[in-house]
Amino acid sequence: QVQLVESGGGLVQAGGSLRLSCAASGRTFSTYAMGWFRQSPGKEREFVAAISWSGGNTYYTYYADSVKDRFTISRDNAKNTLYLQVNNLKPEDTAVYYCAANLNRCSGYGCNDRYEYSYWGQGTQVTVSS
């Protein structure tokens, strides 16, 4: 069983920044593929970013086109924590942001299939005002 707890959301003006965190339980956190997804009212949950383990100390990162160059996903395995640095926020980034864990390797390139993620946090709200 893996528990995930997000934090760091809030209200920010367009162009601002936030750092979202996701604290995870689990003895083998370093091997999990971890992802960030978001969901706004009336829309499906969508992929934002993922970081997957490729063996040893090698990790790969993936981003949705809409956030590339503005968002950065990272992890601190010593702290069992996943991060999402979000910069240059836009009103369309307003959503509940969820972190998720995939205890297996992603089957497809990009680790963007939400159905491969077995564990989810409760979400943290990000609201961007114009």
Side-chain angles (χ1 to χ4, degrees):
Q1 188 77 5
V2 176
Q3 293 184 325
L4 303 172
V5 180
E6 302 98 332
S7 61
L11 173 63
V12 64
Q13 289 188 330
S17 298
L18 289 170
R19 189 173 80 155
L20 308 184
S21 299
C22 172
S25 65
R27 295 183 178 180
T28 56
F29 172 79
S30 63
T31 66
Y32 302 163
M34 298 295 297
W36 287 99
F37 293 76
R38 66 186 181 186
Q39 188 169 18
S40 51
K43 294 187 177 181
E44 288 194 359
R45 192 168 297 188
E46 65 173 358
F47 170 76
V48 175
I51 182 166
S52 67
W53 180 60
S54 185
N57 291 321
T58 302
Y59 292 86
Y60 293 106
T61 58
Y62 308 95
Y63 297 93
D65 288 342
S66 59
V67 306
K68 204 172 294 183
D69 299 327
R70 298 189 298 123
F71 291 11
T72 302
I73 189 170
S74 63
R75 64 196 298 162
D76 185 335
N77 293 328
K79 296 182 179 180
N80 273 24
T81 302
L82 177 74
Y83 301 101
L84 185 69
Q85 178 69 40
V86 296
N87 298 328
N88 191 20
L89 282 161
K90 304 175 181 180
E92 52 264 41
D93 293 318
T94 294
V96 177
Y97 284 71
Y98 298 91
C99 74
N102 176 2
L103 275 55
N104 303 301
R105 297 205 179 199
C106 299
S107 63
Y109 179 81
C111 284
N112 57 7
D113 184 351
R114 61 177 171 162
Y115 296 106
E116 289 194 351
Y117 291 83
S118 302
Y119 299 95
W120 294 81
Q122 83 290 349
T124 186
Q125 176 71 48
V126 172
T127 302
V128 185
S129 63
S130 57

